[in-house]
């Protein structure tokens, strides 16, 4: 029994995974984190209406979700001023990025992203054999012009840009992003990940133009809407591109409860706005905590603050480890020079008080 | 703007989807179904403990699910007497079948299934360019020997067998299935879909042997456990095969609520057993209703009864349409000669009373 014959591509893939979950660290630590500030979740939680919708939907949990996700797509279309044919909903942006890579990337095809940008995008591209071209950040911002230039040189099929950016929290204004869209080379597609755009200043997202075949926009209920635990993301694009997802997606992959919860979340914009205020206040406080310990918080258009620890990646990694030992879960950028930073998600006051108390000792331990 | 360059495989795929959901039919009909007996869901619902778990987990909906699905995998391992390394949990069996096809199937690779068996498996195989070989049923049973013979002839990488079978409700005993496993050709894998095995007579599932590299076993919380709306399926196999899923799966694809609900469902075996009794009683009643209208119910080891309407596929399709017009959602096999049948899921008494009342008129309309 030699076992199954995998594809050549599968045999070539590493066993590595893009992110280790906090639960894995908790099991290794033998204790739960006291403050969960590493996954850019919304500690402020979803709308109370969502909790009611979830409880009510329990009685319908025996039914498969609508594979067309009709009600949610219609509501999203109304919300964004587009049509339901321009929207595909899936198992988080992660799931949709996987489908997109599958749709475009054959072994050896060029794909362009920023060195240190979202690892899960890279994971999906590698998973379909794509040749990943990585462009450096410019001053802690992704570099649209450099991404475009590299895409032209490499004849890339796909470019990834997160705006606002994760893990740096930086952003470009709508005009810069629109200029990038206009510059996308013929036959290339820009995957514009706007997971954090709800928290960005007005004027960060370019207008939605569903006639434009050069860009697909990703949004999520996992961040500002506080529903990471249900995994609902969506993408908006030209109807032809959206229809192509239907050739390959897991049609019954999005459960009934997830659909009901996302719809309830969308329908409570007051809760969203209240959350955005809490996020803004939390960003301010994280910034103060950082400055009080001699660190430099970077400007953020997201629900996290990336903090420059002023030294190298080894030091920042030691800070993350020292915080983890003290029950504080944070993450950090993977790539130099951004890995001089730690990344702290917004949290409720109790979480930030724990972070504030632990940070000085963690810095001392990391330095010593 | 010509738009993105898809892979050659994508360009070759049809826009068709394996199943149209009942919600799509309801929108076309302009009315909701009064009895939902077409998707083999468990109308009896999940355990009350699951409903409590769902309501409680709402407060944790802001957190991503554990990407290792550790607690649920450990509980499943204990339940089945295997190890957590032998279990992968995913977005329904559908999602896991998609991953499996991706792991094994390159364009042109041979895959064997039964003509008229699960269309979603075929969808995933086609989605990776596999060459599907379809073997006829034998007397409304899948035909293990013929599947093996065809796999040998075609040098297939993958064979699909559902035991019990959907859409016919028939089954093979453990000894026959084990004999099939023993006969799987070198370098081939048997995907054994046991979604319905919870409802089958004792002795239907072969013993679990996680050292055997020739077979992977699929189970689900969508059927007997009544959790289709949360989409949790799992597979059990040799640890090497299970580890390979980690190279490509959507690691954060399974939400926190889904994991919590499935764990609560697994922990209430009393509810499962009570549901199995209700399913058995419902099967009996569907059989009586069929016989009273002159039709022939087939023996079933599942939570549905496939009813031989005694004529051809056109007639059965007309019966399904006539039932739909009367608010009764049922489905039917796609392929002759099995398409002489309709497939009716078990339901609560009120559902079956509606079915009983509508069937004679539906038959008259279909005949006329």
């Amino acid at each position: 029994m030699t076992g199954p014959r995998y594809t050549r591509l599968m045999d070539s893939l590493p066993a590595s995974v893009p992110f280790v979950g906090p639960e894995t660290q908790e099991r290794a630590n033998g204790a739960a984190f006291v403050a969960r500030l590493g996954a850019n979740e919304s500690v402020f939680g979803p709308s109370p209406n969502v909790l009611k919708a979830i409880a009510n939907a329990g009685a319908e949990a025996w039914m498969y979700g609508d594979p067309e996700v009709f009600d949610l797509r219609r509501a999203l279309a109304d919300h964004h001023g587009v049509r339901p044919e321009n929207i595909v909903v899936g198992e988080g942006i992660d799931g949709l990025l996987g489908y997109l890579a599958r749709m475009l990337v054959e072994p050896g095809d060029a794909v362009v992203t920023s060195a240190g940008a979202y690892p899960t995008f890279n994971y999906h591209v590698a998973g379909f054999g794509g040749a990943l071209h990585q462009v450096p950040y410019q001053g802690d911002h992704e570099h649209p012009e450099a991404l475009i230039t590299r895409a032209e040189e490499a004849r890339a099929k796909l470019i990834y840009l997160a705006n606002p950016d994760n893990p740096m929290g930086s952003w470009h204004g709508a005009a810069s992003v629109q200029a990038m869209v206009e510059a996308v080379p013929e036959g290339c597609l820009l995957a514009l990940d706007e997971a954090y755009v709800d928290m960005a200043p007005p004027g960060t997202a370019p207008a939605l133009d569903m006639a434009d075949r050069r860009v697909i926009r990703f949004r999520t209920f996992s961040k500002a809407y506080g529903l990471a635990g249900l995994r609902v993301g969506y993408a908006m694009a030209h109807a032809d591109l959206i229809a192509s997802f239907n050739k390959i997606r897991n049609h019954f992959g999005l459960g009934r409860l997830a659909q009901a919860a996302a719809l309830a979340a969308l329908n409570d914009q007051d809760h969203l706005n209240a959350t955005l205020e809490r996020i803004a206040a939390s960003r301010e406080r994280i910034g103060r905590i950082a400055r009080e310990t001699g660190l430099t918080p970077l400007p953020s258009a997201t629900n996290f603050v990336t903090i420059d620890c002023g030294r190298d990646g080894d030091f920042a990694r030691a800070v993350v480890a020292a915080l983890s030992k003290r029950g504080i879960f944070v993450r950090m950028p993977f790539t130099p020079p951004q890995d001089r930073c730690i990344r702290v998600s917004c949290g409720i006051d109790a979480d930030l008080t724990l972070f504030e108390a632990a940070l000085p000792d963690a810095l001392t331990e990391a330095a010593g």
Side-chain angles (χ1 to χ4, degrees), chain A:
Chain A
M1 286 194 284
T2 55
R5 286 169 287 160
Y6 297 101
T7 67
R8 287 159 293 182
L9 182 55
M10 270 299 292
D11 278 332
S12 75
L13 294 176
S16 64
V17 301
F19 283 111
V20 174
E23 293 80 8
T24 305
Q25 295 178 52
E26 288 176 330
R27 288 187 287 270
N29 290 349
F33 286 118
V34 294
R36 185 172 163 120
L37 300 171
N40 299 343
E41 298 154 329
S42 184
V43 182
F44 312 111
S47 155
N49 296 346
V50 169
L51 300 184
K52 271 182 236 161
I54 289 171
N56 291 340
E60 295 191 343
W62 61 273
M63 288 188 254
Y64 287 105
D66 174 12
E68 291 190 38
V69 198
F70 186 88
D71 293 340
L72 179 57
R73 283 169 58 233
R74 189 169 55 181
L76 286 167
D78 289 348
H79 180 74
H80 288 294
V82 302
R83 289 156 40 109
E85 306 89 273
N86 299 118
I87 299 178
V88 59
V89 185
E91 304 91 341
I93 291 179
D94 284 0
L96 293 168
L97 288 173
Y99 292 137
L100 185 66
R102 180 174 162 193
M103 286 158 59
L104 300 184
V105 178
E106 295 190 68
D109 281 346
V111 175
V112 176
T113 187
S114 303
Y118 194 43
T120 303
F121 176 76
N122 301 354
Y123 166 79
H124 287 308
V125 169
F128 290 98
L132 205 63
H133 295 249
Q134 304 195 51
V135 169
Y137 279 64
Q138 184 185 47
D140 294 330
H141 286 69
E142 293 195 58
H143 193 168
E145 296 81 4
L147 290 162
I148 292 289
T149 300
R150 182 65 67 89
E152 286 167 349
E153 291 166 0
R155 294 187 45 74
K157 278 184 161 179
L158 185 60
I159 309 172
Y160 177 86
L161 178 82
N163 191 54
D165 176 64
N166 174 27
M168 301 312 290
S170 58
W171 69 104
H172 295 284
S176 300
V177 178
Q178 185 59 36
M180 183 180 180
V181 172
E182 307 285 346
V184 169
E186 183 74 19
C188 185
L189 180 72
L190 175 62
L192 179 55
D193 184 344
E194 300 183 312
Y196 296 96
V197 83
D198 301 305
M199 299 93 154
T204 301
L208 291 164
D209 176 4
M210 298 288 100
D212 195 328
R213 293 176 183 271
R214 297 171 296 195
V215 62
I216 180 168
R217 319 273 291 256
F218 292 91
R219 306 283 177 98
T220 185
F221 286 93
S222 296
K223 302 299 179 190
Y225 287 104
L227 278 180
L230 283 159
R231 290 308 273 150
V232 185
Y234 59 103
M236 295 182 284
H238 191 286
D240 289 349
L241 178 54
I242 295 299
S244 295
F245 281 88
N246 287 331
K247 293 180 172 185
I248 57 161
R249 70 183 178 91
N250 181 10
H251 286 269
F252 286 85
L254 200 70
R256 198 168 196 92
L257 265 74
Q259 296 184 34
L263 189 57
L266 185 70
N267 285 338
D268 192 349
Q269 292 291 310
D270 288 346
H271 179 80
L272 176 67
N273 292 326
T275 300
L276 296 180
E277 286 180 23
R278 299 181 74 178
I279 287 170
S282 182
R283 279 196 302 237
E284 287 300 314
R285 186 168 172 208
I286 295 171
R288 282 197 302 275
I289 293 168
R291 279 187 295 267
E292 280 163 15
T293 50
L295 308 181
T296 307
L298 305 184
S300 169
T302 66
N303 70 340
F304 60 87
V305 178
T306 300
I307 300 173
D308 185 342
C309 295
R311 296 173 62 172
D312 63 4
D314 286 341
F315 180 70
R317 272 183 287 279
V319 174
V320 169
L323 285 169
S324 174
K325 228 167 76 178
R326 287 163 178 79
I328 315 288
F329 169 52
V330 305
R331 284 203 175 112
M332 62 176 286
F334 295 109
T335 308
Q338 281 73 41
D339 69 352
R340 72 191 187 282
C341 302
I342 63 172
R343 193 194 72 177
V344 182
S345 305
C346 292
I348 56 175
D349 278 335
D351 292 331
L352 298 191
T353 298
L354 290 165
F355 171 65
E356 183 170 26
L359 184 59
D361 287 351
L363 289 168
T364 303
E365 181 175 321

